[in-house]
Amino acid sequence: MKENFIKKYTSMTGGASAAYIEKLLPLIDEIRELKKKHNAVILSHYYMTPELQIEEKEGGIADFVGDSLGLSVAATKTNADYIVFCGVKFMAETAYILNPSKTVLLPDDNAGCSLAESITGEEVRKIKEKNPGVPVIAYINTYAETKAECDVCCTSRNAVKIAKSFESKNLIFIPDKFMGQNLAVKFKTETDKNLILWSGTCEVHEQFRTNIESLTMANPNAELLLHWEVPQETVESTLNKNKGIVGSTSDILNYVEKSSSKEFILGSECDLGATLKGMFPEKQFITPCIMCRHMKLISLQKTLDALKSINTPSQQKYQIQVDEPILSKAYIPIKLMLDLS
Ligand code: 13P
Ligand code: SF4
């Protein structure tokens, strides 16, 4: 088990000191024991640091590693009593809304998201007043109180499918304006949809600008992997020179799997680069390596602390809950998204 972990960790990081890996191993052992003791599962997002992304079967701690849609689906399938969410707060909230009978623990309650923080339920009500009858699609990167005012949710993976499932020509898409602009370009050729947008941005992906342009110039044969949340200007100025895609995290993984290219430039969160290196060790990934400070609040030590808190007074510090009536109202758009996916 230890050898498997070291092998995987090394392939994801491109090499790490043996002394550093040795420090991680006792924490991993303790986490694995506590998971068993409390019938807990760990769901881990691709933006986590490598030690949090390695699955239990590879000597790590995660029961499931995925993008936000994959994690939401995994949350509906588990028989565990506790879900420890290695991700950010809106993801842990979604897991709780889908499983209110389970205890959901987030190792750091400050793990937020600039998109989720950019819009409130009250602001959605005002947009709806200005655009009566227009369906509202909420990106999953929103808090429950915002989702409660919306018709359907979407993630980066199913946004196109969800939007197309509505008959209405006009659709309100909140809160990511860059993702909305990128989707609008795609819709221009495929549908007659018109998106009404909010002004939110991802503080990580909005930084992919001249840094990506310089990398494309220095590596003209590398293919581009851009997340929907990257500014539309960057997509336009780089994707007409280099081959590649703009899409979801899973589109990025699928694209690399199918491509015969050996070199890629990543326009997404830094540790997705580690995921890619671990999955495709024979390929090279060039990235400006911009990290999500919210995702990086989650660590092995804090994950262990959250598990240790179970059945103690400090469990409250980690527990994510959504109260009624928001719980029932936010369930409707999330469930509709899963049904349409
Ligand atoms: P995914 O839906 O691709 O997992 O993205 C989540 C996210 O936070 C993107 O910045
Ligand atoms: Fe939010 Fe951006 Fe971080 Fe994703 S990467 S959690 S959208 S701030």
Side-chain angles (χ1 to χ4, degrees):
M1 271 312 183
K2 182 176 158 182
E3 288 68 36
N4 289 350
F5 178 84
I6 295 172
K7 195 167 159 223
K8 183 74 188 201
Y9 190 81
T10 307
S11 74
M12 291 175 86
T13 55
S17 82
Y20 182 72
I21 298 180
E22 283 299 327
K23 275 194 198 153
L24 303 177
L25 296 171
L27 296 176
I28 288 169
D29 286 344
E30 228 181 315
I31 289 173
R32 287 163 65 113
E33 269 170 40
L34 283 172
K35 274 198 330 171
K36 233 184 271 160
K37 178 176 166 194
H38 294 299
N39 188 25
V41 284
I42 294 182
L43 305 184
S44 192
H45 191 266
Y46 288 132
Y47 294 176
M48 291 289 106
T49 48
E51 62 271 26
L52 293 164
Q53 275 197 49
I54 300 178
E55 287 187 44
E56 191 162 305
K57 58 179 187 264
E58 296 170 307
I61 59 161
D63 294 273
F64 183 84
V65 183
D67 65 355
S68 55
L69 181 64
L71 295 170
S72 301
V73 173
T76 64
K77 296 201 170 141
T78 180
N79 294 319
D81 296 317
Y82 292 87
I83 298 174
V84 180
F85 216 107
C86 290
V88 290
K89 196 169 181 170
F90 74 80
M91 296 178 177
E93 258 190 8
T94 307
Y96 178 76
I97 293 165
L98 289 166
N99 290 285
S101 63
K102 297 193 191 300
T103 304
V104 177
L105 302 177
L106 181 65
D108 191 319
D109 186 38
N110 292 314
C113 167
S114 64
L115 281 173
E117 272 132 45
S118 74
I119 188 162
T120 61
E122 176 60 26
E123 284 165 325
V124 175
R125 282 195 289 277
K126 284 190 185 143
I127 307 173
K128 289 200 290 192
E129 273 166 33
K130 273 198 215 151
N131 300 278
V134 179
V136 185
I137 305 178
Y139 194 26
I140 195 108
N141 299 41
T142 44
Y143 289 124
E145 179 254 347
T146 306
K147 287 185 175 87
E149 300 297 329
C150 301
D151 294 289
V152 68
C153 289
C154 76
T155 72
S156 68
R157 192 168 3 149
N158 57 22
V160 174
K161 195 171 177 190
I162 300 279
K164 283 184 180 172
S165 72
F166 281 83
E167 274 178 17
S168 170
K169 177 177 176 347
N170 290 321
L171 296 167
I172 297 163
F173 176 75
I174 56 123
D176 190 342
K177 76 168 175 191
F178 292 135
M179 179 165 172
Q181 288 167 356
N182 285 319
L183 286 170
V185 170
K186 187 169 172 68
F187 290 162
K188 227 184 257 172
T189 54
E190 296 178 15
T191 69
D192 64 344
K193 301 280 181 229
N194 173 47
L195 294 181
I196 298 162
L197 302 178
W198 185 245
S199 55
T201 57
C202 161
E203 66 185 63
V204 175
H205 290 91
E206 71 176 351
Q207 294 183 55
F208 292 100
R209 291 177 185 270
T210 49
N211 45 8
I212 287 284
E213 283 180 26
S214 313
L215 287 176
T216 56
M217 280 186 257
N219 303 280
N221 296 323
E223 295 199 48
L224 271 167
L225 308 168
L226 304 176
H227 194 278
W228 282 126
E229 294 166 11
V230 167
Q232 216 278 309
E233 304 95 87
T234 311
V235 175
E236 203 178 288
S237 67
T238 55
L239 260 187
N240 57 24
K241 286 191 241 116
N242 287 50
K243 262 183 78 185
I245 53 149
V246 55
S248 67
T249 304
S250 73
D251 290 336
I252 290 174
L253 297 174
N254 292 337
Y255 187 88
V256 175
E257 190 175 13
K258 291 194 185 110
S259 168
S260 57
S261 182
K262 288 271 174 276
E263 243 187 2
F264 300 87
I265 297 165
L266 179 63
S268 190
E269 212 273 346
C270 185
D271 278 315
L272 182 64
T275 316
L276 286 160
K277 283 178 197 158
M279 284 180 179
F280 308 102
E282 72 292 357
K283 306 203 178 200
Q284 199 200 339
F285 299 94
I286 306 155
T287 170
C289 197
I290 301 170
M291 292 196 175
C292 173
R293 67 190 165 103
H294 307 284
M295 294 275 185
K296 300 310 133 169
L297 285 175
I298 311 298
S299 63
L300 266 186
Q301 183 61 56
K302 288 184 194 169
T303 304
L304 175 59
D305 294 344
L307 281 160
K308 277 185 177 168
S309 80
I310 291 175
N311 297 329
T312 75
S314 53
Q315 183 178 315
Q316 275 307 316
K317 189 174 131 195
Y318 300 101
Q319 202 164 327
I320 297 295
Q321 275 170 304
V322 179
D323 296 328
E324 290 292 2
I326 299 290
L327 175 69
S328 301
K329 284 170 89 179
Y331 177 76
I332 296 167
I334 300 172
K335 178 71 171 64
L336 180 58
M337 170 190 79
L338 293 179
D339 292 345
L340 292 172
S341 295

